[in-house]
Amino acid sequence: MTMILVTGATGNVGRPLIDLLVNEGAGVRAVSRDPGAAGLPAGVEVVAGDPSRPDTITAHLSGVTSVFLNPRAVGTAAGELVDLLKRHEVTRVVTVSAINCDDDPARQPSRYRGELNKEVEDAVVGSGLEWVSLRSSLYASNGIGQWAAQIRAGDVVFGPYAAATAAPIDERDIAAVGARALLGDGLLGRRVELTGPDRLTQREMVTTIGDAIGRSLRYQEIPPDGARNAIVGIGFPEGFADALLAMQAGSIERPAPVTGEVATILGRPALAYARWAADHAEAFQRSAA
Ligand SMILES: NC(=O)c1ccc[n+]([C@@H]2O[C@H](COP(=O)([O-])OP(=O)(O)OC[C@H]3O[C@@H](n4cnc5c(N)ncnc54)[C@H](OP(=O)(O)O)[C@@H]3O)[C@@H](O)[C@H]2O)c1
């Protein structure tokens, strides 16, 4: 049986990926820093490890043929981790990456949270192993962190750049493509650019969430300086705030791309933001506060 080691197993892509792999009958070994709290399905072997410290992964590679990497979990250890995989029986590595990973780092907020998508992708591409990189657009679930607290409190969402664009992708679609990349050969050697089906402005995303919860929500634009203070005030690094604002401003001048890769690969349309919002309505409803 195929044995797949999944890092970031408890994350946005990891959870739906594991459900799909289990349904397909693959063996899954899930890495978590806190296995007791992982809450993964029966049949998944959950092991303690931290991919940013590859020595904690070594013991879990026995019998593993494929590995799924989450750069957030890998941190700065990509080179060391890939070298470790090559010394074992691993033949394939699939990584999460980002559609903007070749952009100016000053417009990549994720880098300021230690998510080195480009470096992890480069390590995977240069590994000599079979590889696939899932370069995805903005995750739909970012909307929870960005807006849920405000939406639970009232009908006005304050934020910068109402006209900033993205083609938000439902993480279940990234997971579905990830399962194809791990279990089939059709995507090998590709940096696949994955997006949601539609380009939306921030104002439109908030309105869509409002439709899903039966409320009329309004996005009230605030100046970038005020937004920067607010982002830093809740604990994000200054570099993150600056890069997020620069990315959003840039997406007005150069609207976010929409690719048809999800539909082409999966043979069905990519999940719409409205569907994501309906499935996550609880996060935005007042009773969830
Ligand atoms: N959010 C977006 O819009 C977006 C868009 C494109 C690409 N990406 C990329 O997708 C990747 C995943 O991002 P995400 O925000 O969705 O994260 P996530 O997958 O929800 O990340 C959390 C996962 O990483 C694991 N992890 C291990 N070490 C960690 C650490 N030091 N800090 C936090 N988590 C750690 C956690 O496992 P345990 O806690 O169980 O150990 C958990 O499973 C990132 O590389 C990101 O840049 C994100």
Side-chain angles (χ1 to χ4, degrees):
M1 183 168 70
T2 312
M3 176 55 83
I4 301 169
L5 185 88
V6 178
T7 70
T10 59
N12 288 316
V13 175
R15 284 189 189 282
L17 173 68
I18 284 175
D19 288 343
L20 292 169
L21 295 175
V22 168
N23 284 344
E24 292 289 333
V28 178
R29 192 169 292 157
V31 180
S32 172
R33 293 165 301 170
D34 186 0
L40 291 166
V44 175
E45 195 185 329
V46 187
V47 295
D50 178 347
S52 71
R53 292 171 40 224
D55 56 304
T56 68
I57 303 299
T58 310
H60 308 312
L61 289 174
S62 168
V64 169
T65 48
S66 299
V67 174
F68 186 81
L69 294 182
N70 177 330
R72 185 166 194 190
V74 171
T76 58
E80 195 187 335
L81 188 58
V82 166
D83 284 346
L84 177 69
L85 305 183
K86 288 166 66 176
R87 292 198 299 274
H88 289 74
E89 300 153 62
V90 174
T91 57
R92 179 173 303 189
V93 59
V94 176
T95 189
V96 165
S97 185
I99 200 163
N100 66 344
C101 74
D102 287 328
D103 286 1
D104 181 345
R107 292 201 308 272
Q108 294 187 55
S110 57
R111 296 189 66 81
Y112 295 88
R113 303 202 309 167
E115 296 159 5
L116 303 181
N117 293 300
K118 179 66 175 163
E119 286 81 346
V120 177
E121 181 184 274
D122 285 348
V124 163
V125 171
S127 67
L129 301 171
E130 295 175 344
W131 64 269
V132 182
S133 177
L134 309 175
R135 286 188 166 194
S136 76
S137 62
L138 186 88
Y139 289 7
S141 65
N142 288 8
I144 296 176
Q146 278 179 293
W147 301 318
Q150 290 197 68
I151 292 172
R152 288 197 299 265
D155 291 342
V156 183
V157 170
F158 296 93
Y161 300 119
T165 62
I169 186 166
D170 190 314
E171 291 90 337
R172 292 172 292 189
D173 279 346
I174 307 173
V177 175
R180 295 285 176 103
L182 287 160
L183 299 175
D185 294 342
L187 298 175
L188 291 181
R190 287 193 57 198
R191 298 172 180 85
V192 196
E193 299 203 330
L194 303 172
T195 73
D198 304 302
R199 179 186 305 122
L200 300 171
T201 64
Q202 301 211 86
R203 176 170 279 136
E204 289 167 336
M205 286 182 236
V206 165
T207 306
T208 304
I209 293 168
D211 292 343
I213 60 173
R215 284 167 49 202
S216 180
L217 301 179
R218 184 165 64 82
Y219 192 99
Q220 175 66 50
E221 186 168 297
I222 62 172
D225 278 356
R228 184 183 191 278
N229 290 340
I231 296 164
V232 173
I234 57 171
F236 286 97
E238 291 185 356
F240 175 89
D242 290 334
L244 179 66
L245 292 166
M247 181 181 78
Q248 291 185 353
S251 76
I252 299 173
E253 292 154 30
R254 294 174 303 280
V258 178
T259 75
E261 290 285 11
V262 170
T264 302
I265 293 164
L266 300 180
R268 54 125 176 112
L271 297 171
Y273 194 70
R275 164 76 187 276
W276 175 86
D279 289 347
H280 294 79
E282 200 181 325
F284 300 99
Q285 278 156 346
R286 290 198 170 103
S287 57

